Amino acid sequence: MSNHQEAVAKHRDTEALLAVLDTADRMPSAARLRERSYTLLSLTPGSTVVDVGCGAGRAVAELAERGVHAVGVDPDPWMLAAARERWPAAEFREAGAEDLPFADGSVRGYRADKVFHVLREPQRAVAEARRVLCPGGRIVLTGQDWDAIMIDSDDAALTRTIVHARADLLGAPRAGRAYRNLLLDGGFDEVTVEVHTTVFTDPAMLPLLTRLTEPACAGGAIDRDRADAWLAEQRRRADADRLLIALPFFVAAASAWAVSAKSSPPGGRRDFADTT
């Protein structure tokens, strides 16, 4: 495949992913989940907040509307191009979660939505978040548990095979359920965890199911005929208003308190200074 063909294929894949993400993001439940993440950040006007894995930049624009200096970070130049086109007034930088372009203690808020499941070593991203956050800064992690996607189907065994085959191709498909321990191990305090289950019944979510079956076929977990039959059933359900997909989203939040020079024991006094 030539460089031009690769670029065209990448553009099409990005557009397809954006279509799925846009459909999901426009749902009221998704808007409520984003709003919850902003609340947990305890936003301070004028402070710097980084949205890691920002994708097309919707959260960056919404955070900026709340009076903070929001910066979107993403390793995918194609996603960043879409973000800059959609939100020309916003700030975006190309970088991965494990190597952020910020000085130590220079940001007050860190948000990562649907990011940690693609990382091979999510603990490295947590350490990097701890590095860039100032004392008293807040971190919020949001993401689905890919092993726990629920899809109503006549063939429960095949559905489990498809879901698990897709999950097994990810770096950390169960990162959501591990958020609390990741944050505790990373030196964060005041860790809280919530679970919000989003239910999809809109036929517009059918492309998500197609994206689930493709890796299962490519990896040999199922053949193309079984995948097509399963997708046909889901389309029939959608036509009859019987489609149901349920995704559990974990939302974890914590604070980056600075331990005093006297080395307070766990649970002891912690000093904090806002450096943003």
Side-chain angles (χ1 to χ4, degrees):
M1 182 181 291
S2 68
N3 290 340
H4 174 70
Q5 289 173 321
E6 289 180 358
V8 170
K10 178 61 178 176
H11 176 71
R12 288 175 177 169
D13 188 62
T14 300
E15 289 297 312
L17 178 57
L18 280 173
V20 173
L21 294 176
D22 286 343
T23 298
D25 283 348
R26 284 192 292 266
M27 296 186 67
S29 58
R32 288 193 295 270
L33 197 59
R34 289 197 304 276
E35 186 62 40
R36 179 58 179 157
S37 73
Y38 306 153
T39 298
L40 290 169
L41 282 171
S42 301
L43 300 173
T44 301
S47 63
T48 298
V49 176
V50 56
D51 188 50
V52 177
C54 65
R58 184 184 302 272
V60 177
E62 291 178 347
L63 285 165
E65 290 172 355
R66 286 156 175 77
V68 299
H69 174 215
V71 182
V73 172
D74 200 286
D76 187 340
W78 293 90
M79 277 292 180
L80 289 177
R84 291 179 175 122
E85 181 178 351
R86 293 182 178 194
W87 319 103
E91 181 178 351
F92 299 98
R93 304 185 191 180
E94 184 177 338
E98 302 91 341
D99 188 18
L100 297 174
F102 302 98
D104 294 1
S106 61
V107 305
R108 181 158 178 84
Y110 175 109
R111 178 182 182 273
D113 183 1
K114 297 185 286 294
V115 173
F116 274 46
H117 66 267
V118 302
L119 305 178
R120 291 292 176 186
E121 299 178 278
Q123 63 272 16
R124 286 184 56 200
V126 170
E128 184 69 347
R130 188 68 181 82
R131 179 187 70 79
V132 302
L133 280 167
C134 69
R138 295 282 290 169
I139 181 172
V140 176
L141 306 178
T142 302
Q144 66 268 47
D145 189 308
W146 283 82
D147 239 4
I149 297 175
M150 293 162 277
I151 304 167
D152 194 14
S153 171
D154 295 337
D155 192 334
L158 178 57
T159 302
R160 283 194 295 271
T161 297
I162 291 170
V163 169
H164 293 160
R166 176 68 182 96
D168 288 345
L169 294 178
L170 297 169
R174 291 163 292 279
R177 68 183 74 174
Y179 282 163
R180 182 175 185 272
N181 287 337
L182 281 169
L183 292 173
L184 289 172
D185 291 344
F188 285 91
D189 296 295
E190 301 174 345
V191 181
T192 62
V193 181
E194 305 169 359
V195 179
H196 302 254
T197 301
T198 300
V199 176
F200 301 95
T201 59
D202 192 321
M205 293 305 293
L206 283 171
L208 171 65
L209 301 183
T210 301
R211 293 181 71 87
L212 281 179
T213 61
E214 288 171 353
C217 291
I222 60 173
D223 60 37
R224 186 73 260 174
D225 289 343
R226 294 188 74 197
D228 289 343
W230 186 82
L231 288 171
E233 182 214 336
Q234 294 302 318
R235 286 192 291 270
R236 290 194 297 272
R237 285 175 172 271
D239 291 341
D241 192 24
R242 295 295 184 270
L243 182 70
L244 188 139
I245 308 165
L247 301 181
F249 283 88
F250 285 82
V251 182
S255 297
W257 294 103
V259 179
S260 71
K262 294 182 179 179
S263 299
S264 299
R269 183 179 69 85
R270 289 172 171 81
D271 300 325
F272 121 52
D274 186 355
T275 63
T276 59

